[in-house]
């Protein structure tokens, strides 16, 4: 499976390495070139030698998403640290690029208990991977 | 009218003030504590501290009874989410969103959010109006209603040159509303003559631009 992960933080990079280890093709997009470091940590070879792709770019920019391979993606994970960015790019992946499986990670801060803080489930169907 | 404005920057605060001046009830939502502390002495109960993309913040601001929601934060993704939540969860119909980065306009379009205002876009249109490169200038687009105001220069040799307004064979869905000549605007009557060099302002249903260009701008061959 070709998976595009946007956001190379702790969660994104960990997921990326796992998926690559399972034999998938993984492309990671992050706006900071620095974040590539997280992809090389705890790996036998570096990210690219292991077959991974890494693109520097802004999540919301179509050009960046295309360069990172969204047109060929089987799955898309929006894992930036901005909830709203994640919700928007997951919708773009679904509606504009018809990526079969798109999910958005919503990591919200402390919230009054019992209140679903964001309408995560509404926009990204059929499933969302959220820790709301 | 009860209006919720999300985003307490320059646009938000000025909007809030103008709306209140006109007698409307307003709540301004701002998430940054420091900015909020600047706004609070001026606006008091009108300003709320909170993230306007969160449901409980919108509910505390009374979104269920809002007549209008205006998303003017500095982040396009926030403005998109606010607009979507207002429409899809709370059923608000009158929503205006701001787009900061022109390149994100296509995302607003994709998610069917309109009207969307981008000040960069508006200024670009005015620049084009001041210094037209060639062809049509799109001055104003009312997206929700699907109507445009465009401007085109009358070139020598075109079908419209030296004709009276009433003689111009406009396509259905187009109407001449003004002629700009020598830095003055003329609202024409049927018998006003269109001169070479006039900038003609038309109101138009979209999709008719080619027919307009054919009428007012001379065909390529005539420059031989």
């Amino acid at each position: 499976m070709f998976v595009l992960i946007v956001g190379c933080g702790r969660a994104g990079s960990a997921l990326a390495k796992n998926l690559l280890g399972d034999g998938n093709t993984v492309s990671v997009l992050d706006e900071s070139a620095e974040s590539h470091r997280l992809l090389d940590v705890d790996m036998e070879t570096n990210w690219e030698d292991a077959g991974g792709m890494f693109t520097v770019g802004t999540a919301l920019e179509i050009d960046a998403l295309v360069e990172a391979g969204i047109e060929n993606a089987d799955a898309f994970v929006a894992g930036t640290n901005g909830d709203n960015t994640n919700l928007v790019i997951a919708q773009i992946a679904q509606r504009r690029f018809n990526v079969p499986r798109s999910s958005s990670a919503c990591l919200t801060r402390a919230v009054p208990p019992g209140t679903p803080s964001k309408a995560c489930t509404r926009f990204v169907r059929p499933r969302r991977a959220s820790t709301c | 009218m009860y209006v919720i404005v999300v985003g307490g920057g320059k646009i938000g605060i000025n909007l809030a003030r103008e709306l209140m001046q006109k007698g409307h009830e307003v709540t301004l939502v701002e998430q940054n504590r420091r900015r909020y502390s600047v706004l609070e002495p001026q606006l008091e109960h009108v300003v709320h501290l909170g993230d306007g993309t969160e449901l409980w913040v919108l509910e505390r601001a009374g979104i269920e009874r809002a007549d209008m929601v205006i998303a003017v934060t500095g982040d396009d993704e926030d403005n998109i989410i606010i607009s979507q939540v207002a429409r899809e969860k709370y059923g608000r119909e009158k929503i205006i969103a701001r787009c900061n980065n022109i390149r994100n306009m296509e995302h607003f379009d994709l998610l069917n959010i309109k009207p969307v205002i981008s000040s960069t876009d508006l200024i670009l249109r005015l620049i084009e109006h001041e210094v037209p490169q060639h062809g049509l200038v799109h001055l104003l687009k009312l997206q929700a209603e699907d109507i445009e105001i465009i401007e085109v220069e009358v070139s020598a040799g075109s079908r419209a040159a030296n004709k009276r307004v009433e003689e111009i064979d406009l396509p259905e869905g187009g109407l001449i509303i003004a002629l700009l000549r020598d830095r003055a605007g003329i609202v024409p009557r049927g018998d006003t003559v269109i001169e070479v060099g006039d900038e003609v302002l038309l109101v138009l249903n979209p999709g008719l631009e080619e027919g307009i260009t054919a009428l007012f701008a001379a065909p390529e061959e005539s420059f031989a």
Side-chain angles (χ1 to χ4, degrees):
Chain A
M1 224 181 25
F2 179 1
V3 186
L4 171 56
I5 300 175
V6 180
C8 192
R10 282 176 300 174
S13 61
L15 180 63
K17 288 187 282 196
N18 266 314
L19 287 169
L20 191 70
D22 285 345
N24 298 294
T25 311
V26 183
S27 174
V28 177
L29 172 68
D30 194 290
E31 57 183 11
S32 149
E34 287 275 298
S35 64
H36 185 287
R37 192 179 45 83
L38 290 169
L39 293 170
D40 293 329
V41 163
D42 294 337
M43 292 268 284
E44 285 164 5
T45 63
N46 80 11
W47 178 249
E48 276 78 7
D49 288 338
M53 283 168 56
F54 181 80
T55 312
V56 178
T58 309
L60 279 175
E61 294 211 350
I62 301 278
D63 290 342
L65 292 168
V66 169
E67 195 187 329
I70 197 171
E71 285 158 329
N72 304 315
D74 299 303
F76 178 88
V77 178
T80 75
N81 59 7
D83 291 346
N84 299 320
T85 304
N86 290 339
L87 286 171
V88 173
I89 60 180
Q91 290 184 79
I92 294 169
Q94 252 186 355
R95 297 195 203 191
R96 185 181 165 134
F97 293 103
N98 300 307
V99 178
R101 293 199 183 112
S102 309
S103 74
S104 168
C106 287
L107 305 160
T108 59
R109 302 161 298 288
V111 146
T115 21
S117 166
K118 291 204 197 286
C120 299
T121 58
R122 287 206 155 242
F123 304 133
V124 185
R125 295 188 186 89
R127 74 172 58 82
R128 77 280 179 274
S130 61
T131 55
C132 290
Chain B
M1 210 175 40
Y2 176 46
V3 184
I4 296 181
V5 179
V6 184
K10 298 194 184 91
I11 295 189
I13 174 122
N14 284 306
L15 258 179
R17 277 203 284 247
E18 290 305 306
L19 287 166
M20 289 193 289
Q21 177 93 312
K22 291 188 202 291
H24 301 298
E25 186 192 349
V26 179
T27 295
L28 178 64
V29 178
E30 168 56 44
Q31 70 172 346
N32 179 285
R33 189 169 285 279
R34 194 168 298 167
R35 180 71 185 151
Y36 170 80
S37 63
V38 167
L39 298 171
E40 204 261 335
Q42 303 171 44
L43 295 174
E44 296 179 334
H45 64 277
V46 167
V47 61
H48 286 194
L49 174 64
D51 177 347
T53 62
E54 299 211 0
L55 307 186
W56 69 274
V57 172
L58 293 171
E59 285 173 16
R60 186 187 58 178
I63 191 167
E64 283 112 343
R65 68 176 183 93
D67 296 297
M68 207 165 189
V69 176
I70 310 194
V72 284
T73 78
D75 292 312
D76 292 341
E77 59 270 19
D78 289 3
N79 294 337
I80 289 174
I81 295 298
I82 293 161
S83 306
Q84 288 194 292
V85 168
R87 184 179 66 202
E88 298 185 28
K89 179 153 176 85
Y90 298 107
R92 302 297 89 199
E93 284 172 1
K94 294 211 175 74
I95 303 168
I96 300 181
R98 166 187 178 190
C99 177
N100 293 281
N101 180 346
I102 278 198
R103 287 181 212 182
N104 291 333
M105 285 282 246
E106 50 188 322
H107 303 323
F108 286 82
D109 272 339
L110 174 73
L111 301 170
N112 205 28
I113 296 169
K114 46 190 177 189
V116 176
I117 318 277
S118 159
S119 47
T120 312
D121 186 50
L122 291 172
I123 295 174
L124 281 172
R125 288 169 195 257
L126 281 176
I127 291 175
E128 254 188 288
H129 161 72
E130 291 297 325
V131 192
Q133 298 289 316
H134 42 252
L136 284 161
V137 178
H138 294 264
L139 282 178
L140 176 71
K141 183 168 183 177
L142 294 175
Q143 293 148 317
E145 293 80 5
D146 227 9
I147 212 168
E148 292 197 277
I149 296 184
I150 62 159
E151 179 183 337
V152 62
E153 183 177 337
V154 181
S155 32
S158 63
R159 293 194 340 242
N162 305 311
K163 296 260 180 7
R164 298 193 305 277
V165 168
E166 63 203 351
E167 289 180 300
I168 307 290
D169 187 22
L170 282 171
E172 184 77 24
L175 183 72
I176 296 176
I177 54 176
L179 302 176
L180 308 179
R181 185 185 296 164
D182 302 326
R183 311 291 300 173
I186 304 167
V187 180
R189 300 202 317 205
D191 56 2
T192 307
V193 176
I194 297 181
E195 294 173 14
V196 171
D198 283 350
E199 299 276 349
V200 180
L201 255 56
L202 295 108
V203 65
L204 206 59
N205 287 132
L208 299 172
E209 285 92 334
E210 270 188 36
I212 299 297
T213 320
L215 267 179
F216 294 97
E220 296 291 312
E221 305 90 67
S222 69
F223 289 114

